[in-house]
Amino acid sequence: MSDVLEALVGYVLIAGGRAVSAPPPGAIVELPPRKTQRGREQDTFFALIVPAGKTHQPAPFYEGLVRYAADLYFRAGGSVTSGLRDVLNAINQQLLDHTANTGNKAEIGMAAVVLRGAEIYLAKAGATLCALKQTDDFTTLPADLSDALNSDPFNLGTSTHPDVRLARYEVASGDALCLADLNLARIEPVALEAALAKGNLPNVIEGIKALAPAQIQAMIIEFVSTDTPDPVLPPSRPVSTAAPSSGVLVTSVSKPPKRPTGTIRIPLTPSTPAKQTLTLPTQEGTVEASEGDEDTTPPTEGAPTLLSRIGSAAGWFGGGLSRAVDRLLPEPTEDGSPRLPVMFAAALAIAVPVLIVFVIVALRLSQFDMTQFEQQVQEVLKAAEQARVIALADVPNARAAWMEVLRRVEGVEIASGRTGDPELLKVRAEAQGILDQFDKVTRRTPVALRNFGTGAVMSDPIIRGGADVYTLDRASSAIYRDTLNPNSVALITRNAQPVVQRGQSVGAFSVRQIIDMAWVSEGGTQRANVLAALDTQGLLITYSPTFAPATAQRLPGADLWGDPVAMYVWRGNLYLLDPTENQIWRYRPVGNSYPNPPETYFEPDDRPDLSLGVDLAIDTAGNVYVLFADGLLGKYNGGTPLKFVYTEMPDGGAPRSAAAMFLDADSPLPAIYVVDPKDQSVYQITLSGAFRYRFRAADGAMFSGVTSVFVTGNTVYVAAGSVLYSFSLNDLTGG
């Protein structure tokens, strides 16, 4: 078996027995970009997205999704399988967001493959099927194709937890892989295996063509050794509508230059297809695309072709170079012999043609790139003009139009690799501003105070005295203390050594996994104004920057706990939220310790369902607020439930999810801040549940993985992933 393989790729696209002379809109083959994550340099990414469900989207919708998937794979780190899983999960979230924002449900099936050396890694979800033919084996995913048409495919876009199936195979030269929609299941497995065993890509496609039903979208990949010659393909031919089952060859095939892996797509003919509207097959519907026919119309007089313009430019350059040489070189001697040295003349004779060819190629590539990019920009500008015609009072249609504009901007930037075009930036800002207006989003520009490095999961920021900053890294169970510059939004010190961490000896104890931390101004600790942290064994660790090192005491009654997830200190009392036991445990201080077992906040026979509880807080009146993972908030006093209802929320209900909360009781306008990781937002609401703000980062990626929030004065601190951010509320409060 060869250590390194290349791939030849072909496509079959049939709709109602008619051929579409282009790959399916959701198909892509992508080589690594120049800047890619380490470990991805030798990967080739293949993907096929097919429409599914009862509704369908325009073809550019699927094109944008699959381009986004390829870009995400090469930007993501980790193993190949984790990268593929992350891609499908991200696509699923994009679809859910699209449905939530537009009310237009979008479902797809998706299959993605990575070729690395002589191995392939495959991931699929929804209405897609995969078939791999090897020398002595035939494998399909799922294993039984016969049930695929009658069972629920669990399409992407239908659940927050997609059903992603993964597989890994070793392949050899001559093996063939087919990715397709569910119509592949209409082909008998024995016949499908025989078609994939034809020996080379043209024969394989001919075999699929002969078996294909009236509708199918498929990508066929043949794995070949690096010395395999390029295939010679028969010309594609139209399909008679009287015999739709005969199939059609619609394919782009390529073989890359000599490199470890790689596949690019090169059209079979140089003709420019004329556009015709055609419907592509879906599982339960259709989607519009365009069919290409050969265009033999000569160029219009007065509109020179690209090639003629390049020729004119080359002629101008050559003439200018000739005139420059005539001026610079000396005249011949009287006897006619040249004054120019022979070696220099020979070098010049070689260099000039090479330089001219270089300029021609550069002009050709530059002109093509600019023409294509500018055309795409103009299409975005036209879409924006059309969106402006729709009144903003017509929220559903205006929202859909501006979301399409935003998707087009992102599609052009991803396809071209250009992210700083002034016109696109202006349109993006306009579209985002209008969508934010609909969604009641207030954009902030966070400042990154500190990045704790790869693998860190920061949470629970606490700021004391306007200078000390404490953050908990849940991945390593370590607490860091840094120092703020009071005159600027920056840190003066960044301490690499945690003040408390897993495995550290504190007195007679060894720290384990830290659950949560809080600031204790008074209560059952040896010192006032200290940071307190709780670990899973019931150890309460306290740290004072003035009286280091840390101290610890074991809380009695920890054997009563189930699995506490959060702690809060109010008037010296220590409260622990325990979703497993549907209980809040309360420790009362006696002197400098908590010597007694905990009390139960709720009566044993009257406990609410706290199974989704993630955080708690207590206001100055003693009301206890419990935040749940589904975004809801519960309010209790003395164990008795109180009414708490969100009002005026952007989506008419609660946040989509919740990870943490912060109760800002010291503000002139007390508020609760709720962190919504799915929405990548931080909500500010009143203590009665009225909506005030929905904060998102100007760069949406900043709040990806947001975990927690802390507010002091007019400054909000947000932990997201490995980074601690801050942003200001001065412009909103007049501070």
Side-chain angles (χ1 to χ4, degrees), residues 555-690:
L555 294 176
D559 56 317
L560 301 173
W561 304 351
D563 188 13
V565 297
M567 64 181 289
Y568 199 87
V569 178
W570 184 75
R571 294 184 179 178
N573 295 326
L574 175 62
Y575 293 79
L576 306 182
L577 174 62
D578 190 346
T580 303
E581 295 296 322
N582 291 321
Q583 189 59 268
I584 296 176
W585 306 103
R586 177 172 55 202
Y587 285 88
R588 295 188 182 274
V590 177
N592 293 327
S593 65
Y594 296 101
N596 299 318
E599 303 171 353
T600 57
Y601 184 74
F602 298 106
E603 293 296 330
D605 297 330
D606 195 23
R607 291 175 293 175
D609 182 4
L610 303 179
S611 58
L612 295 179
V614 294
D615 206 353
L616 83 161
I618 306 174
D619 65 18
T620 55
N623 296 311
V624 176
Y625 300 82
V626 176
L627 179 67
F628 298 92
D630 57 6
L632 296 177
L633 259 169
K635 185 177 180 179
Y636 311 89
N637 189 290
T640 302
L642 302 178
K643 184 178 180 180
F644 185 92
V645 179
Y646 287 113
T647 58
E648 303 176 26
M649 291 292 282
D651 301 322
R656 295 176 56 197
S657 66
M661 66 186 296
F662 179 82
L663 195 156
D664 183 15
D666 298 329
S667 171
L669 295 173
I672 297 174
Y673 293 80
V674 175
V675 171
D676 183 347
K678 284 188 178 180
D679 198 46
Q680 298 184 7
S681 301
V682 176
Y683 288 82
Q684 185 197 82
I685 60 175
T686 68
L687 300 192
S688 61

Side-chain angles (χ1 to χ4, degrees), residues 332-338:
T333 60
E334 294 180 359
D335 61 358
S337 61

Side-chain angles (χ1 to χ4, degrees), residues 488-504:
S488 65
V489 185
L491 294 179
I492 298 175
T493 62
R494 292 177 173 83
N495 294 312
Q497 182 62 35
V499 297
V500 176
Q501 61 183 320
R502 182 193 298 126
Q504 177 180 335

Side-chain angles (χ1 to χ4, degrees), residues 95-111:
L95 296 168
L96 293 175
D97 292 344
H98 171 81
T99 301
N101 292 329
T102 66
N104 180 13
K105 189 172 185 180
E107 299 181 32
I108 65 164
M110 180 175 180

Side-chain angles (χ1 to χ4, degrees), residues 107 185 248 313 317 402 617 647:
E107 299 181 32
V248 65
F317 175 79
W402 284 108
T647 58

Side-chain angles (χ1 to χ4, degrees), residues 262-278:
T263 304
I264 55 177
R265 292 178 290 171
I266 302 173
L268 291 178
T269 63
S271 59
T272 303
K275 298 295 182 181
Q276 294 183 9
T277 301
L278 187 65

Side-chain angles (χ1 to χ4, degrees), residues 526-546:
Q526 295 181 11
R527 298 180 293 242
N529 290 318
V530 296
L531 181 75
L534 184 70
D535 80 350
T536 52
Q537 62 183 323
L539 197 65
L540 185 66
I541 308 119
T542 56
Y543 171 82
S544 168
T546 306

